[in-house]
Amino acid sequence: AGPVNEALKPLCWLIGKWKSVCAKGQYPTIKPFTYCEEMEFISVGQPMLNYKSVTWHPEKKNPMHLESGFLRIKPGTNQLAFMVGHNFGITTLEEGTVGENCLDLKTTAIGRMCFAKDPAVTEVTRHFQYCPESQHLQAVVCMATCNTPLTEHLRITYEKSC
Ligand code: HEM
């Protein structure tokens, strides 16, 4: 992959593979659940990270929600754009900023195929926080749909897997 691009310096704490130590899902319309996840932000030398997340059922082990995309940074700034394809039929373009060991994103565009499952997602926000002491990464994902205002959907604690 070569050296990490200079532009990615503010994101160096995020680079690599992560696995969930605790992943919980909830939403006002559904039964709370737990799941397992592997997530990676991989550098191939470009001023962006290649992103992939796979989740599976903790007992049955079947795949659940899958995402892949790119986390881009505007070189020389802390400005981010996260382009994500979701296996359930939507794409999200999320924009925001990276701070010291944290990042915040919020959708600026959502694509949805005509036969995607209802209800339509109208907003997604993500907050990532890295704790250098525990070396754990925490993520909180909130969403709004055409039926429900912005509410927490996911809360995950990850540890580095390599
Ligand atoms: C339900 C969106 C990530 C598991 C839902 C619903 C939506 C949604 C719109 C239906 C809510 C309703 O009926 O009111 C999203 C978005 C995600 C995301 C936008 C990422 C940004 C995940 C992840 C998992 C997950 C990572 C982990 C396995 C579930 C489950 C349900 C659900 C189990 C309830 C059953 C179902 O409707 O399939 N999600 N989700 N979601 N989500 Fe997510």
Side-chain angles (χ1 to χ4, degrees):
V4 171
N5 193 286
E6 182 71 18
L8 294 176
K9 259 208 174 130
L11 285 167
C12 59
W13 51 272
L14 184 64
I15 298 174
K17 295 189 180 181
W18 299 89
K19 61 175 187 218
S20 59
V21 289
C22 176
K24 290 181 182 165
Q26 58 169 72
Y27 206 61
T29 51
I30 65 177
K31 237 177 69 191
F33 59 95
T34 59
Y35 61 99
C36 301
E37 177 173 6
E38 267 171 18
M39 173 177 77
E40 58 183 46
F41 287 94
I42 301 299
S43 153
V44 293
Q46 297 176 310
M48 72 190 78
L49 294 172
N50 298 349
Y51 166 72
K52 193 167 126 184
S53 154
V54 299
T55 63
W56 63 92
H57 191 281
E59 287 96 39
K60 294 183 242 162
K61 312 286 181 201
N62 54 293
M64 291 175 71
H65 189 99
L66 311 176
E67 297 177 3
S68 69
F70 306 96
L71 180 62
R72 296 188 58 108
I73 188 162
K74 186 175 176 187
T77 74
N78 67 346
Q79 238 179 292
L80 300 177
F82 194 28
M83 309 158 60
V84 185
H86 301 250
N87 66 335
F88 72 103
I90 71 165
T91 59
T92 54
L93 175 60
E94 305 169 23
E95 298 190 50
T97 52
V98 53
E100 199 182 335
N101 295 323
C102 65
L103 67 81
D104 277 289
L105 295 162
K106 175 174 155 35
T107 41
T108 53
I110 298 176
R112 182 168 189 266
M113 57 186 64
C114 63
F115 54 93
K117 207 172 138 189
D118 285 328
V121 177
T122 54
E123 187 177 356
V124 174
T125 67
R126 304 189 200 236
H127 175 71
F128 284 86
Q129 181 81 51
Y130 178 63
C131 175
E133 289 75 37
S134 66
Q135 298 186 346
H136 281 173
L137 176 67
Q138 192 183 62
V140 179
V141 178
C142 298
M143 70 171 173
T145 69
C146 54
N147 299 327
T148 309
L150 192 67
T151 311
E152 180 174 320
H153 185 33
L154 311 167
R155 184 173 289 263
I156 315 102
T157 303
Y158 301 94
E159 64 183 14
K160 252 302 167 49
S161 75
C162 65

